[in-house]
Amino acid sequence: METGKQIAQTLLQIKAIKLSPANPFTWASGWHSPIYCDNRKTLSYPAARKQIYEAFAKIIAEKYPQAEVIAGVATGAIACGVLTAEALNKPFIYVRSAPKDHGMANQVEGYFEPGAKVVVVEDLISTGGSSLKAVEALRAAGCEVLGMVAIFTYGFPTAAANFEKAGVQLDTLSNYNTLLELAVEQNYIHADELATLREWRQSPDTWNR
């Protein structure tokens, strides 16, 4: 089984991803969704978190051999970022959602040299907004961002456009299309639910209103 399906299978098995077309979830943004993804659950399963950080380390070693520092996006990607940095024997830093309001007022935490070549680790890509804010913070702090790796992406067209506009290469371990294919194959969902799940991805902000 290819890596994308292996990761998707793991996320479904440990219920980090839940599919519920008939009873949609409500996201913090207010969007209604037939899928909910909480990749923090992977940290509670040693085999799952090992599978993820080893896959990240492989991508980074192959695509970004010049990487000097691994950066995690707070808070969801700090732990898997640390594990990836450990596997690669690289320094680790992390990026807050906003600068601290006290002390040194840092947004990027940890030590790095000016001009450091950084690969960013993220847990989930939706529209890409918060992930790319982390990239902006790293660039403002003097880092050279080589690219980003993430566990899963919903594959929204707006995310692809946002990453292209920001000039950031994104690699994900698995994605929505791969997940749906596996979910049908292994009877997590019925074939007649597939149309609903595909329809949502086309217009998630207005779906099921």
Side-chain angles (χ1 to χ4, degrees), residues 10-33:
T10 295
L11 297 176
L12 284 168
Q13 284 176 341
I14 67 173
K15 295 182 169 54
I17 286 182
K18 295 180 181 179
L19 296 170
S20 181
N23 296 289
F25 304 97
T26 301
W27 288 1
S29 62
W31 288 6
H32 293 169
S33 169

Side-chain angles (χ1 to χ4, degrees), residues 27 37 39 73 120-132 135 148-156 158-160 162-163 168-176 200:
W27 288 1
C37 182
N39 287 328
V73 180
V120 183
V121 173
E122 181 62 291
D123 70 323
L124 176 66
I125 304 296
S126 53
T127 63
S130 59
S131 305
L132 291 170
V135 170
M148 181 180 293
V149 294
I151 299 172
F152 187 80
T153 178
Y154 294 116
F156 295 145
T158 184
N162 288 339
F163 274 87
V168 178
Q169 173 68 38
L170 173 66
D171 291 281
T172 63
L173 302 185
S174 193
N175 59 71
Y176 193 70
W200 167 77

Side-chain angles (χ1 to χ4, degrees), residues 7 10 14 39-55 80 83:
I7 297 292
T10 295
I14 67 173
N39 287 328
R40 290 166 295 194
K41 285 192 174 179
T42 61
L43 302 174
S44 301
Y45 297 85
R49 68 180 187 234
K50 186 170 192 268
Q51 181 186 32
I52 286 166
Y53 77 70
E54 285 184 343
C80 59
L83 291 166

